[in-house]
């Protein structure tokens, strides 16, 4: 399948990054969010990232302008009618994703592939609300999207080989490395990563060490680029909590219970870097 036009749903930290790398790779991009403000904020981050690329000599001013020129604004899901591939990166809530997928299924062309950047939610359950489950797939980018090489590609129960191959090829065109996994809660990435982050939050909650000490142990002791609490702030504490809930519900195993401190922070609106405060404070 020849993918030319990509629509990205959600202009937050992931959707913005995905739109950026698609535009840089030469695809026409429609970037959708519910509000114009969210779109403008997302476009601001993309512009800043591309400008840094120019400063660093990775691209010319003309290439930057060409990439920006390929991105168009949308606040209406009916704009899906133009896309060959849709990548959904809205908030990590099943009800919201299912509602978006129902609407996309109505508006998108018959050949279009509907993908989701979900961190952990079952692809099969999202696909089930559409009339094209064979063309629904997980396309899980890592944060920060312009820097991280992996795209975890998740096959739902009904995903066809043709859909998988088109998405794998697309991933390579974005200069990313695809890794194929099956559809179980958290896939591979967050089944392994998030319990570690949750355990780090428990060590803070139980007073085993300070947040700085916990992060230092994992950075200096295990060579992780960020400590787990810093990484949780970077991912978003709301997203971390939703992922733990998906693991707990999906496996029915109490070992995945979210730390009460994580829930408390999210309830307080302390969502990490994106809200200015999480385990750490950001200016
Ligand atoms: C939750 C999920 O479902 C799945 C996930 O995504 S889990 C999260 C996965 N991501 C990680 O684990 C990230 C761990 N952290 C890291 O790899 C690194 O700390 C990092 C790449 C984020 C930053 O690297 P660093 O060396 O500490 O800092 P820094 O020197 O500032 O950045 C390195 C480069 O990345 C770029 N960069 C950093 N953050 C960026 C961002 N948010 N957006 C775009 N580019 C970014 C910087 O511009 C810099 O590039 P140049 O200097 O060449 O311009
Ligand atoms: N953060 C991470 O490290 C990673 C996250 N993911 C996944 O990517 C997705 C997005 O996460 P992230 O970018 O961090 O979250 P953000 O909170 O940064 O962005 C989500 C964006 O989606 C918008 N949005 C909410 N509902 C809708 C809707 N119905 N239609 C269109 N847009 C909507 C939000 O708008 P508003 O703010 O106005 O509500 C916001 O702009 C989640 O599924 C997450 O699990 C995947 C890999 C890594």
């Amino acid at each position: 399948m020849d993918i030319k036009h990509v629509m990205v749903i959600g202009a937050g930290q992931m959707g913005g990054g995905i739109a950026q790398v698609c535009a840089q790779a030469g695809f026409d991009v429609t970037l959708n969010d519910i509000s114009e403000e969210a779109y403008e904020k997302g476009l601001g981050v993309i512009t800043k990232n591309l400008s840094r690329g120019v400063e660093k000599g990775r691209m010319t001013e003309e290439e930057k302008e060409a990439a920006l020129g390929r991105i168009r604004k949308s606040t209406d899901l009916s704009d899906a009618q133009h896309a060959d591939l849709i990548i959904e990166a809205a908030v990590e809530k099943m009800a919201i994703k299912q509602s978006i997928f129902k609407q996309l299924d109505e508006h998108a062309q018959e050949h279009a592939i509907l993908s989701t950047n979900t961190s952990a939610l079952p692809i099969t359950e999202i696909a089930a609300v559409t009339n094209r489950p064979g063309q629904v797939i997980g396309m899980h980018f890592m944060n920060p999207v312009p820097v991280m090489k992996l795209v975890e590609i998740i096959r739902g129960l009904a995903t066809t080989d043709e859909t998988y191959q088109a998405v794998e090829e697309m991933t390579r065109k974005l200069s990313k490395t695809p890794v194929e996994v099956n559809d179980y809660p958290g896939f591979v990435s967050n089944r392994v990563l998030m319990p570690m982050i949750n355990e780090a939050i428990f060590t803070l909650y139980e007073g085993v060490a300070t947040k700085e000490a916990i992060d230092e142990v994992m950075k200096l002791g295990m060579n992780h680029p960020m400590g787990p609490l810093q990484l949780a702030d970077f991912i978003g504490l709301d997203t971390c909590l939703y992922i733990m809930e998906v693991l707990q519900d999906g496996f029915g195993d109490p070992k995945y219970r979210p730390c009460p401190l994580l829930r408390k922070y999210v309830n307080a609106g302390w969502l990490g870097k994106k809200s200015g405060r999480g385990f750490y404070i950001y200016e």
Side-chain angles (χ1 to χ4, degrees):
M1 193 183 122
D2 195 16
I3 297 170
K4 288 201 171 72
H5 192 138
V6 181
M7 183 179 192
V8 180
I9 315 290
Q13 47 180 351
M14 294 306 291
I18 294 166
Q20 180 189 328
V21 297
C22 289
Q24 278 182 266
F27 294 93
D28 290 324
V29 179
T30 298
L31 179 55
N32 170 281
D33 206 297
I34 28 184
S35 71
E36 292 222 2
E37 294 91 292
Y39 171 84
E40 296 301 339
K41 196 171 158 203
L43 191 68
V45 175
I46 296 173
T47 308
K48 203 171 125 219
N49 283 346
L50 292 175
S51 298
R52 185 171 168 86
V54 175
E55 272 165 38
K56 287 263 173 171
R58 282 193 293 266
M59 70 179 82
T60 63
E61 186 64 31
E62 291 69 36
E63 284 167 334
K64 171 192 146 188
E65 288 305 326
L68 285 173
R70 282 191 279 272
I71 302 175
R72 67 176 85 156
K73 174 168 69 178
S74 159
T75 49
D76 188 341
L77 286 181
S78 69
D79 292 327
Q81 63 185 303
H82 307 292
D84 305 303
L85 169 68
I86 297 160
I87 307 174
E88 174 277 321
V91 66
E92 186 75 348
K93 291 274 190 189
M94 180 56 95
I96 291 176
K97 293 203 189 291
Q98 285 186 327
S99 152
I100 291 173
F101 271 70
K102 260 189 205 153
Q103 295 174 65
L104 291 175
D105 191 33
E106 275 169 32
H107 297 296
Q109 301 174 71
E110 216 171 281
H111 72 269
I113 293 174
L114 312 185
S115 75
T116 170
N117 182 54
T118 177
S119 292
L121 291 165
I123 307 304
T124 307
E125 217 173 304
I126 297 173
V129 302
T130 74
N131 291 311
R132 61 178 96 194
Q135 288 160 244
V136 177
I137 192 162
M139 210 176 170
H140 186 204
F141 291 81
M142 301 293 129
N143 190 11
V145 179
V147 179
M148 307 298 279
K149 285 284 162 214
L150 174 71
V151 179
E152 194 178 34
I153 304 184
I154 307 105
R155 279 179 186 260
L157 197 58
T159 308
T160 64
D161 287 345
E162 202 189 349
T163 300
Y164 178 81
Q165 257 122 38
V167 165
E168 190 187 73
E169 199 179 303
M170 166 78 188
T171 301
R172 292 194 199 282
K173 284 187 183 157
L174 300 178
S175 306
K176 306 276 183 208
T177 304
V179 175
E180 180 183 353
V181 309
N182 277 321
D183 188 20
Y184 284 98
F187 320 126
V188 172
S189 53
N190 281 315
R191 184 163 175 182
V192 177
L193 175 69
M194 209 46 74
M196 183 202 70
I197 288 179
N198 194 45
E199 204 57 35
I201 302 171
F202 268 111
T203 58
L204 179 66
Y205 177 64
E206 290 168 10
V208 179
T210 64
K211 56 184 183 294
E212 292 84 2
I214 294 163
D215 278 346
E216 206 71 345
V217 165
M218 299 305 286
K219 276 200 292 191
L220 300 185
M222 284 79 194
N223 253 1
H224 289 194
M226 286 176 167
L229 301 174
Q230 190 192 359
L231 182 57
D233 273 358
F234 180 62
I235 291 167
L237 300 189
D238 50 343
T239 301
C240 293
L241 176 61
Y242 302 149
I243 294 169
M244 287 311 297
E245 287 174 345
V246 170
L247 293 174
Q248 190 184 27
D249 291 350
F251 292 115
D253 187 331
K255 78 176 176 181
Y256 296 113
R257 79 230 173 278
C259 179
L261 188 61
L262 173 60
R263 198 178 290 285
K264 194 175 201 173
Y265 276 27
V266 173
N267 288 340
W270 296 6
L271 306 183
K273 205 169 173 210
K274 66 183 170 186
S275 74
R277 179 160 199 175
F279 293 105
Y280 296 92
I281 293 174
Y282 303 86
E283 296 311 324

